[in-house]
Amino acid sequence: MTIISAPHELVNSDTYVDLRAVLDRRLYLKCEGMNFGGSVKMRAAVAMVAEAERRSLLGAGTALIESSSGNLGVALSVVAAGKGIPFTCVTDARCNPGTVAAMRALGTEVVVVEEPHAVDGFLGARLDLVRRRCAADPHLVWLNQYTNEANVRAHYEGTAPRILSAIPDLDVLFVGVGTGGTAVGCARYVRDRRGGTRVVAVDAVGSVTFGGPGGRRLIPGLGASVVPPLFDTSLFDDTVEVAEVETVRGCRLLSSHGMLFGGSTGTVVSGALDWLERNDPDRELTSVCISADMGDRYLDTVYDDAWVLKHYGPRSLEPMPGARPRARTGRTADLIGAV
């Protein structure tokens, strides 16, 4: 039995989903969204606030501010509410409505940036606004997830050791790249352990993290319009970039089997399936995908048929190759037939 006295004490989850029935591969999802923040970002939020407290940056009269596309904003909202710390989250127009509503329900001031920076996109615009607010108010404490080593350390000391303890014969770990905290922390731990596990970074098409051109991205979570300062490409054995249409298909595949996961999870699962189809034709490898978030905040986007068809077309609702989807029924089938 687990008993907690504050919401930020619920961080660890050792729940895995065996995807063999869905993908016919030894691929497991590590569910990191089973906490009050609903995502893997609870680890970073707890670690960064604890570090700020250790350094005596937080006290009477201070308040937190952070830039987030969604998940970290909710996680910090949970931690801040539990500790009685005022918090402002600067997000942008791509943030899911449910995510904004969740942050506001937790007492967070949410500032939504409507226009992207001319060069650095929405992330650049959010960072500019945070810097301006901090310059105007010395009582604001910016944790800065993009440069904060506590973000990386949370996964070096928490996420990766738990995975390798649970599955010591792991061949491949697939991890999504956003700010780089989860990916870098896990990859550093695997490297230092000097085992035979490979780490594959999964990014979104349109992200600049691995040197590709920036492009439109409608689904928040993975990817960046500015290269994350924490990121180190040398830590990874391989990389996969996933188009958003494949993110949708990955999410829809899992939901057809009763599992409602978020956009980041759909991206990583799609990337893992692509990589395994090319590198494991005999289906011998044991792999883990880190599932960053749950799907309730994507009901207005990824799981809304009309929204998906408008932005990605009928292909977004077609079965993924190599997978075992359930048959389409009801409104989804009607909408596809009408296109």
Side-chain angles (χ1 to χ4, degrees), residues 14-30:
D14 292 315
T15 298
Y16 292 76
V17 178
D18 185 344
L19 291 179
R20 276 178 288 189
V22 181
L23 301 176
D24 193 27
R25 291 185 176 277
R26 289 199 300 272
L27 178 63
Y28 303 92
L29 270 182
K30 185 182 192 308

Side-chain angles (χ1 to χ4, degrees), residues 162-180:
R162 298 183 81 89
I163 292 172
L164 293 179
S165 175
I167 308 177
D169 60 344
L170 181 64
D171 294 305
V172 190
L173 175 63
F174 295 96
V175 56
V177 179
T179 63

Side-chain angles (χ1 to χ4, degrees), residues 238-249:
D238 206 349
T239 61
V240 180
E241 291 190 344
V242 176
E244 285 193 335
V245 64
E246 303 303 327
T247 293
V248 171
R249 295 172 78 191

Side-chain angles (χ1 to χ4, degrees), residues 136-188:
D137 186 351
H139 298 100
L140 287 176
V141 177
W142 180 20
L143 297 174
N144 198 351
Q145 62 168 323
Y146 311 99
T147 62
N148 196 322
E149 276 294 328
N151 185 2
V152 173
R153 191 164 59 248
H155 303 286
Y156 185 94
E157 297 176 352
T159 312
R162 298 183 81 89
I163 292 172
L164 293 179
S165 175
I167 308 177
D169 60 344
L170 181 64
D171 294 305
V172 190
L173 175 63
F174 295 96
V175 56
V177 179
T179 63
T182 306
V184 169
C186 289
R188 280 184 186 170

Side-chain angles (χ1 to χ4, degrees), residues 116-276:
H117 185 278
V119 176
D120 296 328
F122 276 114
L123 176 55
R126 295 195 329 246
L127 293 177
D128 282 350
L129 180 54
V130 171
R131 293 187 186 102
R132 290 198 302 272
R133 284 211 167 192
C134 287
D137 186 351
H139 298 100
L140 287 176
V141 177
W142 180 20
L143 297 174
N144 198 351
Q145 62 168 323
Y146 311 99
T147 62
N148 196 322
E149 276 294 328
N151 185 2
V152 173
R153 191 164 59 248
H155 303 286
Y156 185 94
E157 297 176 352
T159 312
R162 298 183 81 89
I163 292 172
L164 293 179
S165 175
I167 308 177
D169 60 344
L170 181 64
D171 294 305
V172 190
L173 175 63
F174 295 96
V175 56
V177 179
T179 63
T182 306
V184 169
C186 289
R188 280 184 186 170
Y189 183 84
V190 170
R191 178 200 61 189
D192 293 348
R193 184 172 175 266
R194 303 184 192 283
T197 303
R198 286 175 281 183
V199 181
V200 177
V202 182
D203 199 13
V205 170
S207 169
V208 303
T209 300
F210 289 99
R216 186 188 75 155
R217 290 179 293 112
L218 299 178
I219 301 173
L222 301 187
S225 54
V226 179
V227 178
L230 291 173
F231 204 66
D232 181 356
T233 57
S234 69
L235 292 170
F236 302 94
D237 297 283
D238 206 349
T239 61
V240 180
E241 291 190 344
V242 176
E244 285 193 335
V245 64
E246 303 303 327
T247 293
V248 171
R249 295 172 78 191
C251 288
R252 294 293 186 111
L253 170 66
L254 296 172
S255 70
S256 74
H257 289 264
M259 297 173 284
L260 202 64
F261 285 105
S264 299
T265 302
T267 302
V268 175
V269 169
S270 296
L273 184 58
D274 175 38
W275 191 92
L276 290 168

Side-chain angles (χ1 to χ4, degrees), residues 44-126:
V46 169
M48 291 190 296
V49 171
E51 178 65 14
E53 291 175 328
R54 187 189 69 80
R55 295 172 57 195
S56 300
L57 298 177
L58 293 172
T62 61
L64 290 171
I65 189 168
E66 186 58 79
S67 158
S68 171
S69 63
N71 283 339
L72 182 71
V74 176
L76 281 173
S77 295
V78 170
V79 177
K83 290 177 173 287
I85 304 170
F87 172 49
T88 297
C89 180
V90 178
T91 188
D92 61 62
R94 297 172 304 171
C95 188
N96 297 322
T99 300
V100 173
M103 288 190 283
R104 287 179 171 149
L106 289 162
T108 295
E109 178 196 5
V110 182
V111 180
V112 180
V113 173
E114 299 290 347
E115 295 295 330
H117 185 278
V119 176
D120 296 328
F122 276 114
L123 176 55
R126 295 195 329 246

